[in-house]
Amino acid sequence: MVAQLQLDAVIGFGGDIQSGLIFHPDGQHLLYPLGSTIVIRDLAASHSQRFLHGHTDDVSTVTLSPCGRYIASGQVAHMGFTAQILVWDFETGAIIHKLELHKVLIQSLAFSCEDENGIIYLASIGGQDDCNLVIWNALTGDPICGSPCSNDLSFFVKFFNKDPFSLVTGGSYNLRVWSLDTVHRKIRPTDCNIGQLRRVFTCLTIDDDDETMYVGTATGDVLQIGTGRCLMQQVGPKTLFSDSVTCIIGTPSGHLIVGAGNGALAVLEKSSLKICREEKLQGKIRSLTLGNEGHDMFAGTASGNIYYVPCLLYTSPSPRDS
């Protein structure tokens, strides 16, 4: 009987998964999916890698808890079958939970911060064959509640930074702020008011104080929306990106960094949404991830490139060995 070969190292980065490149809070590791495997790469040693095996098909989304202890990943499944979510322990690489409720595809995942009892919640949304939002207890693996995301497709879900009971979903002509009631096992949506505009929402970032969110669109602009009343405050930049906004993050310096489908990597002023710097990367930007208290950033593109960007210096990105 032939012994099964063990994976020792991989060369390459797929880059097709939205927000699939993640900079761990320890400042030493990068995470990203590659096929049905999740790669954990040690930045201090270029040939030091760990692999998380457990998915039976391609990984479709991955996320990391704010504390860095837990990883959650979702996958694709065959038509008519449920798609699996795996929750991992980052340190040991062990599978903690296997969660199954969504059909065919896990579209997006997000962890909350801890509540007053130390509980962390996991939000998941399914693809076009499912379109449901489910909230899980990430510590026990039990589902708490669920609801249809909207009347159309939803592409992302994200919890507030400091409030584990508030989260946002967005997609084709829908952007909703949800309030989680764990006592009554209910989740209630509030639709954001963007006036006469119609937009397909692709990504978002939320300010540290949870008062404002900035949402990228397929039209090529960014909407600033107050989370309290869910009202649009402004839209910009005046000159739209020539392709959809695919990634957006906030920096400690008070700027926004935006990635676009044409490879544009731009710095925007939050106050005016004016572009104050723009570079061009090779390939559609699919991931932007901050680390080291916002001093360092990595950008991943669909062309298989990983770029390192020193955020505070705003120097030109240079390709990093991947």
Side-chain angles (χ1 to χ4, degrees):
M1 184 174 180
V2 179
Q4 185 176 2
L5 295 177
Q6 298 296 317
L7 181 62
D8 182 64
V10 297
I11 300 173
F13 168 70
D16 291 328
I17 306 301
Q18 180 68 29
S19 302
L21 181 66
I22 301 174
F23 199 178
H24 195 276
D26 65 9
Q28 298 179 359
H29 295 91
L30 277 179
L31 292 77
Y32 53 88
L34 195 61
S36 61
T37 300
I38 296 173
V39 181
I40 301 177
R41 175 177 166 183
D42 189 338
L43 295 174
S46 59
H47 298 292
S48 176
Q49 298 173 334
R50 291 194 290 136
F51 306 101
L52 304 183
H53 301 288
H55 284 289
T56 57
D57 211 320
D58 287 347
V59 175
S60 56
T61 183
V62 63
T63 190
L64 184 70
S65 63
C67 62
R69 181 178 177 182
Y70 303 107
I71 302 168
S73 53
Q75 70 171 61
V76 180
H78 294 292
M79 187 64 67
F81 289 85
T82 55
Q84 198 172 66
I85 300 169
L86 299 182
V87 180
W88 314 75
D89 183 287
F90 172 78
E91 290 296 333
T92 66
I95 297 174
I96 303 173
H97 304 298
K98 295 183 178 180
L99 314 176
E100 293 188 22
L101 277 179
H102 297 288
K103 295 180 180 179
V104 184
L105 171 71
I106 307 301
Q107 182 70 43
S108 182
L109 295 165
F111 281 106
S112 74
C113 60
E114 293 184 5
D115 69 7
E116 64 273 11
N117 298 314
I119 297 175
I120 297 174
Y121 303 101
L122 175 67
S124 60
I125 56 175
Q128 62 180 359
D129 299 290
D130 184 276
C131 294
N132 288 316
L133 167 67
V134 178
I135 307 298
W136 312 78
N137 183 321
L139 303 186
T140 65
D142 296 324
I144 298 173
C145 58
S147 171
C149 265
S150 69
N151 294 325
D152 214 322
L153 297 179
S154 293
F155 300 136
F156 60 80
V157 59
K158 185 177 179 62
F159 275 95
F160 282 29
N161 298 298
K162 299 177 181 178
D163 182 358
F165 305 110
S166 297
L167 61 155
V168 183
T169 61
S172 294
Y173 313 109
N174 66 88
L175 184 65
R176 289 179 149 185
V177 176
W178 299 79
S179 178
L180 173 62
D181 181 352
T182 57
V183 175
H184 298 96
R185 303 173 76 91
K186 298 285 187 181
I187 187 164
R188 301 177 178 87
T190 300
D191 290 303
C192 292
N193 186 347
I194 60 171
Q196 299 299 313
L197 297 181
R198 284 176 56 81
R199 292 290 188 270
V200 174
F201 299 101
T202 55
C203 55
L204 92 159
T205 186
I206 303 174
D207 270 351
D208 291 340
D209 58 11
D210 290 334
E211 293 184 0
T212 309
M213 59 183 174
Y214 301 87
V215 194
T217 75
T219 307
D221 52 12
V222 175
L223 276 61
Q224 178 182 334
I225 297 174
T227 58
R229 300 177 61 189
C230 299
L231 294 176
M232 185 179 69
Q233 298 170 343
Q234 64 172 330
V235 58
K238 291 183 178 180
T239 302
L240 303 182
F241 292 98
S242 60
D243 207 331
S244 61
V245 174
T246 52
C247 308
I248 184 169
I249 57 174
T251 71
S253 62
H255 293 85
L256 297 172
I257 298 182
V258 171
N262 64 347
L265 182 68
V267 179
L268 273 64
E269 295 178 355
K270 282 186 178 180
S271 58
S272 62
L273 298 182
K274 176 183 177 182
I275 297 176
C276 51
R277 174 160 189 168
E278 184 173 339
E279 305 287 347
K280 199 69 173 289
L281 306 187
Q282 182 181 353
K284 181 178 183 178
I285 300 176
R286 299 289 281 171
S287 301
L288 294 174
T289 180
L290 284 175
N292 292 332
E293 298 181 347
H295 291 79
D296 300 316
M297 184 183 77
F298 288 92
T301 73
S303 297
N305 295 320
I306 298 177
Y307 292 83
Y308 166 69
V309 184
C311 281
L312 298 184
L313 299 177
Y314 299 112
T315 57
S316 298
S318 56
R320 184 184 180 93
D321 173 37
S322 60

